[in-house]
Amino acid sequence: MKLTLTYALFVFVAGALSLVVVYLAMRFVPDYPLSAVNPQAAAVATRPDILQALIKASAVALLLLALVGLGAGWLIAGRVLRPLQDITRAARRAAGGSLDHRVGLTGPRDEFTELSDTFDDMLARLQRSFDAQQRFAANASHELRTPLAVSRTMLDVAVADPDGQDYGRLVSRLRETNQRGIDITDALLQLAALDHTPPATERLDLADPARGAVAAVREEAGARGVALTADLGPAPVTGNGVLLRQLALNLLHNAVRHNLPTGGSLSLATGADPLRPGHVLLTVTNTGPRLPATGAAAVDRLTEPFLRGGGRVADKDPARRGHGLGLAIVEGIVRAHRGELTLAPNPGGGLTVRVSLPAAG
């Protein structure tokens, strides 16, 4: 209604101004009776007669312009506002919990189609975030419930048969199960802190925390028969040394535990990023089973919390079993350092992880 009244008022004012200009111009008509060429014809009206007739005609014209302005303004306003009405309906559906609806405006590129596309992109991101949050809540509940359920089962068995228990072994298993719950909780707290608290940074060489991570993993890699090599070139960055060591440690643990049973290999390298000037690169490459050939999306989802290489199911081998938060923490550390994380399956099996960080200076 506001747009309609605005259009109608504009048409009315424009018409009134035009008629005023015509009225002022008509005042220059000679102020004496005009006569026809034929002397026998009657005299033509004088200027006052013409102006009076003009005023009457102007009043009728202004009334018609007001009616036309209201009708045309209503149609134009409806056509202009229709895309906004579509966006409003989509917003109401989203507010009601339905995030799968999209506006999808078609037609020439203008402000409304850009607004529609932006709104659709926002809905898509909200849907992905909401779905990830639901999966995270369900998976976190499952992961935290498992050690508690295992502990309760062992205690119930001990209570039911107190004389037939090997209490040393029972305490050891309870301690192991309890430690698993603590590890999951610590990882969740670290993941939450990375999303809300910016880390303290300093100038350092990325090769130094990577070297510490290699030393920490070398014994486990040797016990599993995985050949570990490191090529630690200079990689100056501005970052948090503890978090960067945790990043390299998580990548190496993941590469060792998801490697081949025997005869596997693992390499870590640091140095300048040849693809991104002004950045340094940490690369971890390992052998292992072939990843599902379902495209890059399946590999990218490996950074989702609690998602392992085989989905949400833990490995049957306790020594190879993780809590599914290693790569999620790596992604959080990379994001906190304004870097880029890339995961790519190797043609022969295994994974190559590239962490590109802004170089210091």
Side-chain angles (χ1 to χ4, degrees), residues 8-75:
L9 180 62
F10 175 78
V11 172
F12 184 84
V13 171
L17 290 176
S18 300
L19 293 175
V20 168
V21 172
V22 173
Y23 179 83
L24 294 176
M26 291 300 295
R27 294 181 65 86
F28 292 98
V29 174
D31 191 14
Y32 53 80
L34 300 178
S35 59
V37 177
N38 185 3
Q40 302 297 326
V44 181
T46 61
R47 185 176 67 183
D49 297 333
I50 296 175
L51 292 178
Q52 186 177 5
L54 179 61
I55 291 175
K56 293 179 180 180
S58 298
V60 175
L62 286 177
L63 178 61
L64 292 176
L65 283 175
L67 295 176
V68 171
L70 288 172
W74 182 264
L75 295 176

Side-chain angles (χ1 to χ4, degrees), residues 1-308:
M1 181 60 68
K2 289 181 180 179
L3 284 177
T4 299
L5 293 177
T6 301
Y7 296 151
L9 180 62
F10 175 78
V11 172
F12 184 84
V13 171
L17 290 176
S18 300
L19 293 175
V20 168
V21 172
V22 173
Y23 179 83
L24 294 176
M26 291 300 295
R27 294 181 65 86
F28 292 98
V29 174
D31 191 14
Y32 53 80
L34 300 178
S35 59
V37 177
N38 185 3
Q40 302 297 326
V44 181
T46 61
R47 185 176 67 183
D49 297 333
I50 296 175
L51 292 178
Q52 186 177 5
L54 179 61
I55 291 175
K56 293 179 180 180
S58 298
V60 175
L62 286 177
L63 178 61
L64 292 176
L65 283 175
L67 295 176
V68 171
L70 288 172
W74 182 264
L75 295 176
I76 295 174
R79 183 177 180 84
V80 169
L81 295 178
R82 189 174 297 116
L84 293 180
Q85 293 171 350
D86 295 339
I87 296 174
T88 300
R89 283 193 292 269
R92 286 174 179 168
R93 294 185 61 173
S98 176
L99 298 177
D100 56 348
H101 179 70
R102 300 291 182 269
V103 181
L105 283 185
T106 58
R109 300 296 303 176
D110 55 17
E111 289 81 357
F112 289 112
T113 53
E114 289 181 2
L115 175 61
S116 170
D117 293 344
T118 303
F119 189 79
D120 287 344
D121 291 341
M122 181 190 70
L123 286 180
R125 294 184 63 182
L126 284 175
Q127 186 176 19
R128 288 195 298 268
S129 298
F130 185 72
D131 293 342
Q133 184 181 18
Q134 285 186 321
R135 289 194 301 269
F136 178 84
N139 295 341
S141 300
H142 172 81
E143 293 288 337
L144 291 173
R145 183 178 181 275
T146 298
L148 296 175
V150 171
S151 299
R152 179 177 177 177
T153 300
M154 288 188 290
L155 291 173
D156 289 343
V157 171
V159 170
D161 185 15
D163 296 331
Q165 298 297 319
D166 183 351
Y167 285 99
R169 183 169 179 268
L170 176 63
V171 171
S172 176
R173 292 182 61 190
L174 285 173
R175 181 181 177 84
E176 178 185 345
T177 304
N178 182 262
Q179 185 61 44
R180 176 173 174 79
I182 292 175
D183 292 341
I184 294 174
T185 304
D186 288 342
L188 287 174
L189 291 174
Q190 184 179 7
L191 198 59
L194 288 172
D195 289 336
H196 297 92
T197 305
T201 60
E202 61 180 348
R203 184 186 176 97
L204 53 89
D205 191 342
L206 183 58
D208 293 335
R211 185 177 293 108
V214 170
V217 176
R218 189 174 295 280
E219 182 178 352
E220 180 182 355
R224 296 178 181 275
V226 177
L228 173 58
T229 59
D231 181 11
L232 302 176
V237 296
T238 300
N240 185 287
V242 175
L243 291 180
L244 292 177
R245 183 181 184 277
Q246 184 67 42
L247 178 148
L249 194 60
N250 284 5
L251 290 178
L252 291 175
H253 275 308
N254 186 74
V256 168
R257 294 171 183 174
H258 296 279
N259 215 301
L260 295 174
T262 56
S265 63
L266 164 63
S267 64
L268 182 146
T270 59
D273 190 344
L275 302 180
R276 303 181 68 192
H279 287 71
V280 298
L281 184 66
L282 183 147
T283 305
V284 174
T285 303
N286 66 280
T287 56
R290 290 179 180 271
L291 293 173
T294 55
V299 176
D300 292 339
R301 285 193 62 198
L302 292 176
T303 59
E304 183 179 319
F306 301 113
L307 188 72
R308 305 173 178 87

